[in-house]
């Protein structure tokens, strides 16, 4: 038990060094200087209010649009039973799990000046210039955010709706309400908590969205997240960036807090029904056309951007891919693009190892508390004396998830000055984001192992180490694997923190894509497409693997 | 074989075991019988090494077990929830203990099939443990515990989760198997029928102490105190005061004593078969009448407010006035 207690310190030490210490550095800079200039300016300088206001505005609008677009999908998947519903549901998840950089590239590939829509229009109407100028407008951001978060609304609202007893609505109808009024006065209020929860989660994602806003919005439309990056990298104005980060931290923590509270309330809903009772088949022709039409439009909206990347990447045959192996500039900061793939795999490998190890230890340290109060070592464990410590610990392990990636990256730059040039920073940053997922994947399975299984093995002659190998390991193996694959996917796609901490000569795939998108010319754009296609395929493979190995329902 | 001496243990600050001593001889089946929460499972876990006692010693063949870790004690243990490993099939479950002993493959195969044969599951080796019926799972758990040839087998309410009919049959089978291989066993249960059917000797645990240890018939014939009597279903107990003439005085009158145990506070135990219906006897009326095992069990309330259970040949309607004559009582410790 002594050894275990010592191990349990590791995740905390990791968080202390690479999460709390960088955050403290941000605070220090914000409150430093002549009379805490950074913090003071937050209240006096209109610049901050403007950035914050804009961030809220675009997030709110994006959220509203997502709700409106996905609400019918929630209804259809909750109330109708038809072939392919499961597949459809799985397909809508793909955009959400794609790296932001892929989504941003996808919309560039679709709607940008060299995008397929514009190219087609130019060819059709013999135009000189691309007719659609959607890039660098609010519209591009709204579209991409809706595309991204569609599945959240569909799943949270639809999931709640699927179990909602239709008798409430029937009762209203019998009492003389029209379908519309029954919906408005009965169903909608019952759905309200789910809608608010979904909206809040989407709002959080839109509020902290980085890649999409940076690439599709451009500097003029910078949100808090993009502005932190711009102030750090382009203007090297660290005090301002620190003040912005502080603002971002306060906002995200407040939002996460609200969401957690809401989710707890959502967990105790009214009378629920098994879904099978509630579902029905499509009946009238009108129903078929309406539902069918909507679903076709939905699939078109969710699939076209991704498909267009792949298609556009092959515009020159394999030309864009061949170009990845060529080092055009020959300077030290510009390596052959294919090296980015190598770097990404390297970092992802390191992230997998680090995140899995830390996640496993963290999961065990949380689990140590809720074992049955029977083990002889109970008295010796500090953690068990104070059950509330465990709850705090549980929340602490999840904190990195509630912190924006760019803030993390910025904190690294401030705090870990000496390490700044170190290659290790990238996998460490990725681990910070990935290891909570490992904890969340492993912990429920760990809790499901009955203590009697381990004791039975012990009584049959297995030493403690043998018990772990024979009982724990085989049972949690799949969950660990899922966590590891998730860590891999997170690392491959992570952009916000990487953009700040990656060394110039060691770009990852997302960083390389971003650089190519910022360069003029078809070759650069083509290489961005080729890299995005590769990243997309890797992510898709990972998604399939996780679906395969997932045990039960992982926590969101 | 197994000797436990003066075991003490507290739970959440309150004493749970207050000094328990017990000896089990080779090949003997002892049942630890007591209501839930009496600490019997804890005692079992202390013997197994899953928990540490705060005081007292566990000796096996004269050797102290206190510092021997669970996995080196060589005791078998069967849980109420059986705890079959869900990720392994029947064969692998039964083979587990043998693998821990580093037995060869051939030994393992031979021993597993021999043990499965013993519990009557000869052709179950390849089955998934999640597909077994309750009785089958129970037999697999028994086979798993027996396969490594433990020096002592402990069973913690192993039939608790099964329905009554299945349980009665399995108790008989279980006893037959344990007796055939001469396994020294300690069996924990809260069900006296199960204990009576299973045990050579029964140890009744109450308030952290052993209230009485002995063969089933001895316990029933001469319960040591009111708790044991009540636990065995002998519920007619009245506070009693001794008299100079050897009789005792109770609320219902003065009765002769057939046997007397111990001193101090005493109660009179009135066995149902010692109560006769007699019109001139103690006035009472019938509250409940149930047919059981060839006779009627009748609960009556005497006019002075004492409830008794008596046995009659014929049914009595509720509210019927009766008179009771009590021939003699036994006096036991309160």
């Amino acid at each position: 038990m002594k050894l275990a207690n010592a191990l349990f310190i590791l995740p905390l030490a990791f968080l202390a060094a690479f999460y709390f210490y960088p955050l403290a550095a941000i605070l220090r800079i914000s409150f430093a200087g002549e009379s805490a200039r950074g913090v003071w300016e937050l209240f006096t300088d209109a610049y901050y209010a403007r950035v914050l206001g804009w961030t809220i505005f675009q997030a709110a609008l994006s959220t509203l649009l997502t709700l409106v677009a996905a609400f019918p999908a929630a209804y259809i998947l909750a109330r109708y039973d038809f072939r392919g519903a499961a597949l459809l549901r799985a397909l809508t998840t793909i955009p959400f799990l794609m790296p932001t950089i892929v989504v941003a590239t996808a919309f560039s590939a679709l709607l940008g000046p060299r995008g397929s829509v514009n190219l087609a229009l130019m060819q059709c109407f013999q135009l000189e210039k691309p007719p659609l100028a959607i890039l660098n407008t609010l519209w591009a951001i709204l579209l991409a955010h809706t595309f991204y978060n569609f599945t959240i609304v569909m799943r949270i609202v639809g999931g709640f709706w699927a179990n909602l007893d239709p008798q409430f609505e029937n009762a209203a109808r019998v009492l003389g309400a029209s379908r519309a009024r029954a919906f408005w006065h009965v169903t909608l209020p019952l759905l309200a908590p789910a809608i608010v929860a979904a909206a809040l989660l989407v709002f959080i994602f839109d509020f902290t969205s980085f890649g999409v806003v940076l690439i599709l919005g451009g500097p003029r439309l910078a949100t808090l997240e993009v502005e932190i990056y711009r102030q750090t990298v382009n203007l090297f104005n660290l005090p301002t960036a620190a003040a912005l980060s502080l603002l971002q931290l306060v906002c995200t923590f407040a939002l996460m807090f609200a969401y957690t509270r809401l989710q707890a309330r959502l967990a105790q809903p009214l009378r629920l029904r098994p879904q099978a009772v509630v579902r029905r088949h499509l009946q009238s022709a009108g129903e078929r056309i309406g539902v069918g039409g909507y679903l076709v439009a939905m699939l078109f909206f969710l699939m076209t951007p991704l498909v267009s990347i792949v298609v556009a990447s092959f515009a020159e045959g394999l030309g864009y891919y061949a170009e990845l192996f060529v080092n055009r500039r020959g300077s030290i900061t510009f390596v052959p693009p294919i090296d980015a793939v190598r770097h990404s795999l390297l970092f992802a490998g390191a992230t997998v190892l680090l995140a899995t190890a830390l996640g496993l230890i963290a999961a065990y340290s949380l689990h140590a508390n809720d074992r049955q109060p029977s083990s002889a070592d109970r008295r010796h464990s500090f953690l068990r004396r104070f059950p509330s410590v465990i709850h705090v610990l549980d929340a602490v392990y999840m904190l990195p998830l509630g912190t924006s990636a760019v803030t993390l990256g910025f904190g690294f730059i401030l705090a870990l000055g000496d390490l700044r040039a170190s290659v290790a920073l990238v996998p460490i940053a990725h681990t910070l984001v990935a290891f909570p997922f490992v904890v969340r994947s492993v912990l429920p399975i760990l809790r499901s192992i009955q203590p009697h299984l381990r004791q039975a093995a012990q009584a049959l002659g297995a030493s403690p180490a043998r018990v772990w190998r024979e009982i724990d390991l085989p049972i949690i193996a799949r969950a660990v694997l899922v966590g590891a694959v998730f860590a891999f996917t997170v690392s491959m796609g992570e952009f916000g923190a990487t953009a700040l901490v990656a060394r110039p000569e060691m770009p990852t795939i997302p960083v390389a894509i971003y650089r190519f998108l910022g360069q003029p010319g078809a070759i650069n754009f083509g290489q961005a497409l080729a890299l995005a296609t590769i990243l997309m395929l890797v992510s898709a493979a990972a998604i399939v693997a996780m679906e395969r190995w997932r045990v039960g329902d992982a926590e969101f | 074989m197994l000797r436990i001496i003066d075991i003490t243990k507290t739970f959440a600050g309150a004493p749970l075991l207050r000094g328990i001593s017990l000896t089990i001889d080779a090949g003997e089946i002892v049942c630890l019988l007591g209501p839930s929460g009496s600490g019997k499972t804890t005692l079992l876990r202390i013997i197994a090494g899953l928990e540490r006692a705060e005081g007292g010693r566990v000796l096996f063949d004269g050797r102290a077990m206190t510092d021997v870790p669970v996995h080196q004690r060589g005791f078998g243990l069967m849980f109420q929830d059986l705890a079959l490993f869900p990720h392994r099939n029947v064969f692998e479950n039964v083979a587990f203990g043998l693998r821990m002993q580093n037995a060869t493959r051939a030994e393992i195969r031979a021993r597993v099939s021999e043990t499965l044969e013993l519990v009557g599951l000869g052709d179950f080796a390849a089955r998934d443990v999640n597909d077994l019926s309750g009785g089958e799972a129970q037999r697999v758990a028994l086979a798993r515990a027996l396969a490594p040839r433990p020096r002592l087998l402990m069973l913690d309410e192993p039939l608790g989760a099964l329905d009554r009919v299945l349980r009665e049959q399995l108790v008989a089978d279980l006893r037959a198997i344990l007796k055939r291989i001469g396994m020294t066993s300690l069996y924990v249960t809260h069900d006296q029928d199960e204990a009576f059917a299973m045990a050579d000797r029964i140890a009744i645990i109450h308030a952290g102490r052993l209230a009485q240890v002995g063969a089933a018939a001895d316990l029933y014939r001469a319960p040591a105190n009111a708790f044991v009597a009540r636990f065995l279903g002998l519920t007619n107990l009245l506070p009693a005061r001794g008299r100079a003439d050897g009789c005792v005085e109770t609320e219902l009158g003065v009765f002769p004593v057939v046997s007397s145990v111990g001193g101090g506070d005493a109660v009179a135990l009135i066995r149902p078969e010692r109560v006769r219906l007699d019109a001139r006897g103690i006035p009472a009326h019938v509250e409940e009448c149930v047919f059981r095992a060839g006779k009627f069990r009748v609960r009556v309330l005497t006019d002075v407010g004492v409830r008794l259970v008596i046995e009659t040949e014929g049914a009595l309607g509720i509210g019927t006035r009766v008179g009771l004559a009590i021939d003699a009582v036994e006096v036991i410790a309160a």
Side-chain angles (χ1 to χ4, degrees):
Chain A
M1 212 53 212
K2 287 255 166 59
L3 176 72
N5 273 338
L7 274 179
F8 289 169
I9 300 294
L10 278 180
L12 285 178
F14 183 83
L15 280 184
F18 301 115
Y19 181 72
F20 289 110
Y21 180 54
L23 249 48
I26 293 176
L27 283 181
R28 207 174 52 230
I29 296 244
S30 304
F31 285 97
E34 317 85 79
S35 60
R37 191 172 56 96
V39 175
W40 184 240
E41 278 179 352
L42 277 182
F43 297 100
T44 53
D45 195 333
Y47 159 78
Y48 295 99
R50 208 171 57 238
V51 175
L52 180 63
W54 168 253
T55 308
I56 294 174
F57 174 72
Q58 64 82 28
L61 212 54
S62 299
T63 306
L64 192 67
L65 200 62
T66 312
L67 278 178
V68 170
F71 199 76
Y75 171 69
I76 290 169
L77 286 166
R79 285 290 191 244
Y80 288 108
D81 197 13
F82 53 92
R83 255 183 310 152
L87 178 68
L88 213 59
R89 193 190 305 261
L91 283 179
T92 58
T93 318
I94 294 176
F96 179 67
L97 293 173
M98 280 297 149
T100 50
I101 193 84
V102 170
V103 174
T105 313
F107 278 90
S108 299
L110 195 64
L111 302 171
R114 283 185 299 268
S116 30
V117 171
N118 271 324
L119 288 182
L121 287 174
M122 280 157 74
Q123 209 150 42
C124 273
F125 301 104
Q126 305 292 322
L127 297 174
E128 290 286 306
K129 289 202 320 194
L132 275 182
I134 244 181
L135 236 50
N136 297 327
T137 68
L138 177 60
W139 289 110
I141 297 175
L142 294 182
L143 267 179
H145 281 166
T146 305
F147 170 85
Y148 220 120
N149 297 319
F150 189 93
T151 198
I152 295 181
V153 173
M154 193 191 88
R155 281 179 181 239
I156 295 184
V157 177
F160 192 80
W161 206 337
N163 290 309
L164 195 66
D165 196 333
Q167 287 305 3
F168 294 125
E169 204 168 333
N170 293 342
R173 299 273 281 138
V174 171
L175 288 168
S178 65
R179 274 188 87 147
R181 292 189 67 182
F183 175 79
W184 185 253
H185 290 292
V186 177
T187 310
L188 202 58
L190 289 175
L191 286 175
I195 295 174
V196 175
L200 199 51
L201 193 59
V202 171
F203 186 86
I204 291 171
F205 286 133
D206 291 340
F207 190 88
T208 56
S209 164
F210 176 61
V212 163
V213 180
L214 180 69
I215 291 166
L216 298 180
R220 222 166 35 82
L221 302 180
T223 56
L224 270 178
E225 192 81 343
V226 172
E227 200 53 21
I228 298 170
Y229 173 79
R230 218 170 61 89
Q231 293 290 344
T232 311
V233 172
N234 298 350
L235 310 174
F236 212 71
N237 186 350
L238 296 189
T240 305
L244 286 166
S245 295
L246 188 64
L247 199 56
Q248 175 79 320
L249 273 172
V250 170
C251 291
T252 45
F253 281 141
L255 287 169
M256 287 302 283
F257 181 72
Y259 177 68
T260 320
R261 291 293 292 271
L262 201 70
Q263 220 188 13
R265 263 184 46 199
L266 205 58
Q268 31 172 318
L270 356 104
R271 237 166 78 207
L272 293 180
R273 281 298 189 88
Q275 303 187 5
V277 180
V278 171
R279 292 240 172 89
R280 62 199 181 92
H281 292 277
L282 293 169
Q283 281 149 352
S284 68
E287 248 180 356
R288 280 164 196 273
I289 292 170
V291 169
Y294 173 83
L295 291 179
V296 169
M298 177 187 90
L299 271 188
F300 184 79
F301 173 61
L302 293 180
M303 291 301 127
T304 314
L306 296 178
V307 171
S308 70
I309 302 188
V310 181
V311 172
S313 77
F314 288 105
E316 299 285 316
L318 285 174
Y320 293 147
Y321 290 88
E323 200 63 38
L324 293 180
F325 293 88
V326 181
N327 186 359
R328 284 264 160 200
R329 280 173 197 76
S331 96
I332 190 157
T333 45
F334 289 96
V335 290
I338 201 67
D339 276 9
V341 177
R342 208 165 51 81
H343 302 145
S344 272
L345 288 174
L346 207 69
F347 291 144
T351 304
V352 166
L353 290 181
L354 207 56
T356 311
L358 286 176
L360 258 181
I361 295 171
Y364 266 96
S365 73
L366 290 177
H367 174 57
N369 178 53
D370 46 43
R371 265 187 245 158
Q372 286 199 341
S374 51
S375 310
D377 49 38
R378 179 159 29 110
R379 267 172 295 136
H380 306 299
S381 170
F382 158 74
L383 293 179
R384 288 181 202 198
R385 281 228 198 124
F386 308 98
S388 57
V389 171
I390 291 294
H391 289 125
V392 173
L393 210 55
D394 196 4
V396 165
Y397 288 148
M398 295 301 129
L399 275 180
L401 288 184
T403 313
S404 85
V406 172
T407 308
L408 285 180
F410 177 63
F412 272 35
I413 288 189
L414 284 187
L416 310 169
D418 301 334
L419 285 173
R420 201 182 302 165
S422 163
V423 200
L425 279 193
V426 175
I428 286 174
H430 291 179
T431 299
L432 220 43
V433 186
F435 106 99
F437 285 102
V438 179
V439 178
R440 278 285 157 264
S441 171
V442 173
L443 193 57
I445 307 297
L446 209 52
R447 284 183 170 147
S448 76
I449 303 179
Q450 303 211 337
H452 277 174
L453 289 185
R454 300 196 184 91
Q455 293 166 6
Q458 261 181 298
L460 287 165
S463 62
R466 196 86 195 260
V467 170
W468 190 80
R469 218 172 70 213
E470 299 275 352
I471 307 297
D472 288 45
L473 187 59
I475 293 177
I476 63 172
R478 278 154 57 113
V480 175
L481 206 59
V482 169
V485 173
F486 202 97
F488 179 82
T489 320
V490 164
S491 175
M492 291 297 286
E494 209 290 327
F495 179 50
T498 318
L500 284 164
V501 300
R503 287 208 312 210
E505 78 280 13
M506 282 200 85
T508 61
I509 298 179
V511 171
I513 294 175
Y514 175 61
R515 282 190 197 157
F516 279 126
L517 287 178
Q519 306 285 330
I523 297 260
N524 284 321
F525 189 61
Q527 292 187 79
L529 292 173
L531 280 176
T533 304
I534 292 173
L535 185 54
M536 195 169 101
L537 291 181
V538 171
S539 305
I543 294 169
V544 172
M546 283 191 286
E547 275 300 316
R548 269 277 178 81
W549 294 327
R550 203 160 57 113
V551 207
D553 279 326
E555 293 170 45
F556 207 87
Chain B
M1 275 294 240
L2 179 77
R3 262 186 86 194
I4 59 177
I5 304 164
D6 206 23
I7 296 287
T8 57
K9 173 89 178 169
T10 55
F11 182 75
L16 181 65
L17 302 177
R18 307 163 181 250
I20 292 201
S21 300
L22 181 68
T23 303
I24 304 178
D25 294 326
E28 190 185 27
I29 301 177
V30 171
C31 269
L32 204 53
L33 177 63
S36 48
S38 58
K40 50 193 193 307
T41 295
T42 304
L43 181 59
L44 198 84
R45 295 173 61 87
I46 287 170
I47 298 171
L50 291 167
E51 268 177 66
R52 279 185 100 87
E54 278 140 29
R57 287 186 297 158
V58 177
L59 302 177
F60 195 87
D61 279 345
R63 204 183 134 210
M65 288 283 116
T66 316
D67 293 323
V68 180
V70 190
H71 63 283
Q72 286 166 7
R73 292 198 179 190
F75 296 167
L77 179 56
M78 216 174 131
F79 292 99
Q80 174 168 7
D81 62 9
L82 306 182
L84 293 178
F85 303 136
H87 54 303
R88 303 182 184 277
N89 67 16
V90 169
F91 180 92
E92 290 162 344
N93 263 280
V94 178
F96 191 91
L98 297 162
R99 280 183 45 229
M100 297 305 119
Q101 295 174 352
N102 298 319
T104 66
R105 275 161 179 269
E107 278 167 359
I108 292 175
R109 229 183 347 253
R111 180 71 187 143
V112 169
S113 62
E114 178 190 322
T115 315
L116 282 176
E117 213 62 64
L118 177 74
V119 299
L121 293 178
D123 44 1
F124 273 63
R127 291 277 285 271
D128 184 336
V129 293
N130 303 303
D131 296 339
L132 300 175
S133 73
E136 289 162 357
Q138 197 265 340
R139 283 155 190 271
V140 172
L142 177 65
R144 186 179 68 178
L146 290 178
R149 293 197 170 88
R151 307 188 284 175
L152 167 76
L153 178 64
M154 288 177 285
L155 307 99
D156 185 7
E157 309 227 9
L159 307 177
L162 302 176
D163 65 76
R164 179 124 218 126
V165 179
L166 188 56
R167 202 155 67 189
E168 276 168 16
Q169 196 216 324
L170 283 170
V171 167
D173 291 354
L174 192 53
R175 178 171 167 88
I177 290 169
L178 294 180
K179 278 293 160 194
R180 193 182 321 156
I181 57 176
M183 179 61 63
T184 309
S185 311
L186 179 59
Y187 189 106
V188 162
T189 181
H190 65 270
D191 183 316
Q192 55 147 314
D193 290 339
E194 208 174 299
F196 276 36
M198 189 76 211
D200 298 323
R201 278 193 304 144
I202 294 173
I204 294 185
I205 188 168
H206 172 56
R209 293 200 174 87
L210 288 186
Q212 195 173 4
V213 183
D218 295 338
L219 296 186
Y220 195 80
R221 264 184 231 130
N225 58 39
F227 173 79
V228 174
R230 209 173 281 122
F231 197 67
L232 298 178
L234 304 168
T235 52
N236 298 340
L237 297 162
L238 298 176
R241 209 169 48 245
R243 295 193 343 163
D245 61 357
C247 291
V248 289
E249 193 180 323
T250 72
E251 277 177 88
L252 295 178
V254 177
F255 305 108
V257 176
V258 281
S259 69
S260 178
V261 187
D265 286 349
V267 292
L269 164 61
I270 305 165
R271 291 189 190 261
E273 58 267 30
R274 288 198 205 275
V275 183
R276 284 178 295 111
L277 290 180
D278 182 339
R280 290 163 305 160
I282 304 156
H285 68 272
V286 174
E287 280 193 328
E288 188 185 82
C289 179
V290 193
F291 182 71
R292 191 182 296 164
K295 286 189 172 170
F296 287 90
R297 263 183 109 72
V298 183
R299 199 176 73 214
V300 298
L301 179 64
T302 66
D303 290 0
V304 294
V306 175
R307 280 202 172 77
L308 292 178
V309 174
I310 63 171
E311 282 176 357
T312 60
E313 297 296 331
L316 292 173
I318 289 168
T320 310
R321 299 289 307 175
V322 292
L324 308 172
I326 298 167
D327 296 337
V329 299
E330 292 154 42
V331 174
I332 58 179

